[in-house]
């Protein structure tokens, strides 16, 4: 079996590549030219991967990657994935996340690719219309990122229904790990807390501490991606832990684990607030459990400790 992953150098892409290699796949990945040297998350397996330069904004590069890889399964994880940044670069976000998915589906259709996975997001629900959110909850995105991903979601559904493609959307809630980018709030908190513990810094600036998220463990979530493409019929699934926790709670667990009091170090700054805030996300993954047999193994407290332990293990850096 051959798989092609966009965003293979990211957090989820790296864990997915590991999973597929364990299962005996020949794994291909598309890496952007600007990030071709930023392979730190996959350096330990890079000699077992087939990497191709490409970009979701460039159709010809996608065609070339498909032509070489001839994949049985495609996992489209590549995106401009920072919600806050999407307000600053909305046009690029739409080009990569919305039209980029269209380019991927068109290319997959041309090559008669058997199976296609689209990385969707809980940000589709944005200003939530019900809690918890399931596959039938109305969408209400609150950012250029969410809006672009909504286009990608419905485009995936449309290609499935129009061309009889095996195409699935995974509506994944926040998934974290030690490989999470430093620009994301969980990793920002963990790295700052460890530095504060070591006396390397004293303050941490954050935005809305009351925002609540359903946080899971990235390796658990990539397993759900793979399971979707192994099922007999394509469909769309919410992937979540079913627990919601505020950023305050994330601070509580992180700093307490290190024997610190975050209230002595955290400063709330308006510059980190979004123009349109998403206050509460809580997913209902009962469909994935019922049909795919999937459920998360790692819950909130353990997730935070895994991230802190990984940061501590790096030493004084």
């Amino acid at each position: 079996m051959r798989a092609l992953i966009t965003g293979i150098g990211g957090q989820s892409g790296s864990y997915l590549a590991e999973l597929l290699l364990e299962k005996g796949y020949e794994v291909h990945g598309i890496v952007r030219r600007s990030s071709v040297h930023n392979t730190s998350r996959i350096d330990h397996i890079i000699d077992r991967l087939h990497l191709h330069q490409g970009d979701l904004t460039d159709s010809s590069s996608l065609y070339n990657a498909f032509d070489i890889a001839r994949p049985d399964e495609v996992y489209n994880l590549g995106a401009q994935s920072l919600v806050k940044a999407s307000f600053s670069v909305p046009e690029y976000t739409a080009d990569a996340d919305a039209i980029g998915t269209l380019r991927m589906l068109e290319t997959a259709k041309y090559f008669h690719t058997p199976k296609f996975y689209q990385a969707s997001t809980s940000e589709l629900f944005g200003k939530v219309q019900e809690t918890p959110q399931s596959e039938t909850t109305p969408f209400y995105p609150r950012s250029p990122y969410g809006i672009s991903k909504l286009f990608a979601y419905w485009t995936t559904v449309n290609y499935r229904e129009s061309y009889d493609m095996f195409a699935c959307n995974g509506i994944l809630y926040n998934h974290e790990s030690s490989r999470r980018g430093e620009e994301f709030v969980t990793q920002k908190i963990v790295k700052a807390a460890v530095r504060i513990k070591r006396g390397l810094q004293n303050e941490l600036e954050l935005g809305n501490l009351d925002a609540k998220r359903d946080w899971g463990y990235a390796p658990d979530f990539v397993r759900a991606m793979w399971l979707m493409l192994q099922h007999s019929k394509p469909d769309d699934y919410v992937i979540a832990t079913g627990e919601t926790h505020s950023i305050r709670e994330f601070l509580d667990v992180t700093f307490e684990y290190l024997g610190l009091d975050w209230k002595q170090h955290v400063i709330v700054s308006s510059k980190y607030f979004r123009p349109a805030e998403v206050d509460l996300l809580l997913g209902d993954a009962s469909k994935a459990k019922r049909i795919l047999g999937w459920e998360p193994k790692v819950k909130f407290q353990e997730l935070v400790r895994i991230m802190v332990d990984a940061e501590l293990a790096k030493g004084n850096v």
Side-chain angles (χ1 to χ4, degrees):
M1 291 283 283
R2 294 184 299 276
L4 176 64
I5 305 170
T6 66
I8 194 170
Q11 171 191 236
S12 297
S14 65
Y15 284 119
L16 179 61
E18 287 177 350
L19 176 68
L20 296 178
L21 286 171
E22 288 171 9
K23 294 185 178 298
Y25 282 66
E26 178 180 303
V27 179
H28 295 253
I30 294 178
V31 291
R32 288 184 296 120
R33 184 177 181 84
S34 60
S35 64
V36 75
H37 298 298
N38 183 21
T39 56
S40 58
R41 296 182 182 93
I42 54 173
D43 279 344
H44 63 295
I45 54 172
I46 202 164
D47 60 336
R48 301 168 63 195
L49 302 174
H50 305 267
L51 300 181
H52 313 279
Q53 288 191 11
D55 197 298
L56 290 169
T57 64
D58 177 42
S59 297
S60 62
S61 68
L62 302 181
Y63 177 95
N64 290 336
F66 271 77
D67 193 32
I68 296 169
R70 299 287 170 153
D72 301 293
E73 298 175 0
V74 170
Y75 296 85
N76 186 32
L77 311 187
Q80 190 302 101
S81 58
L82 282 168
V83 175
K84 191 173 187 299
S86 74
F87 286 97
S88 301
V89 288
E91 185 176 337
Y92 174 73
T93 301
D95 194 11
D97 298 8
I99 306 305
T101 302
L102 175 63
R103 294 184 184 105
M104 284 291 292
L105 283 161
E106 267 295 298
T107 310
K109 178 166 69 77
Y110 178 84
F111 282 98
H112 303 286
T113 303
K115 296 184 177 182
F116 186 95
Y117 171 84
Q118 170 58 22
S120 200
T121 169
S122 58
E123 290 288 332
L124 296 183
F125 298 119
K127 188 176 181 180
V128 298
Q129 303 300 291
E130 64 181 11
T131 299
Q133 300 88 47
S134 71
E135 293 81 4
T136 59
T137 301
F139 298 131
Y140 197 139
R142 298 269 281 171
S143 65
Y145 170 74
I147 294 164
S148 299
K149 283 290 194 174
L150 183 59
F151 178 98
Y153 173 93
W154 282 119
T155 303
T156 302
V157 172
N158 182 256
Y159 271 63
R160 180 170 71 221
E161 296 177 350
S162 300
Y163 305 114
D164 196 29
M165 291 177 67
F166 194 111
C168 300
N169 281 293
I171 307 173
L172 270 59
Y173 279 63
N174 292 60
H175 41 294
E176 318 296 319
S177 74
S178 60
R179 298 181 193 174
R180 190 57 143 157
E182 295 182 20
E183 62 274 22
F184 290 88
V185 68
T186 51
Q187 191 73 299
K188 183 178 179 181
I189 290 170
V190 167
K191 285 185 173 294
V194 170
R195 286 179 60 81
I196 290 168
K197 179 69 174 179
R198 290 175 169 155
L200 300 175
Q201 74 180 70
N202 188 54
E203 294 180 347
L204 167 62
E205 287 191 2
L206 295 172
N208 180 15
L209 302 187
D210 297 316
K212 294 182 176 180
R213 295 292 183 270
D214 184 326
W215 277 302
Y217 187 43
D220 283 345
F221 281 42
V222 301
R223 181 165 43 88
M225 300 175 188
W226 178 77
L227 285 170
M228 286 179 213
L229 297 197
Q230 310 318 306
H231 192 59
S232 57
K233 294 195 302 184
D235 206 345
D236 310 314
Y237 298 89
V238 164
I239 302 298
T241 68
E243 296 180 4
T244 189
H245 298 274
S246 68
I247 292 175
R248 288 180 189 276
E249 289 176 83
F250 200 99
L251 286 164
D252 284 338
V253 177
T254 304
F255 278 73
E256 184 179 336
Y257 189 49
L258 291 167
L260 300 169
D261 179 1
W262 66 263
K263 297 180 183 68
Q264 297 179 9
H265 303 280
V266 172
I267 298 170
V268 175
S269 173
S270 59
K271 70 182 180 182
Y272 292 109
F273 281 72
R274 300 180 186 178
E277 187 57 74
V278 172
D279 298 313
L280 169 64
L281 291 172
L282 173 62
D284 174 6
S286 57
K287 178 180 175 181
K289 181 178 181 180
R290 184 178 71 254
I291 297 175
L292 304 177
W294 179 88
E295 55 186 328
K297 296 177 181 177
V298 175
K299 293 298 183 74
F300 180 70
Q301 299 258 354
E302 185 183 356
L303 166 65
V304 177
R305 289 167 184 162
I306 287 172
M307 294 181 69
V308 173
D309 286 342
E311 189 63 26
L312 287 169
K314 294 178 183 178
N316 285 304
V317 292

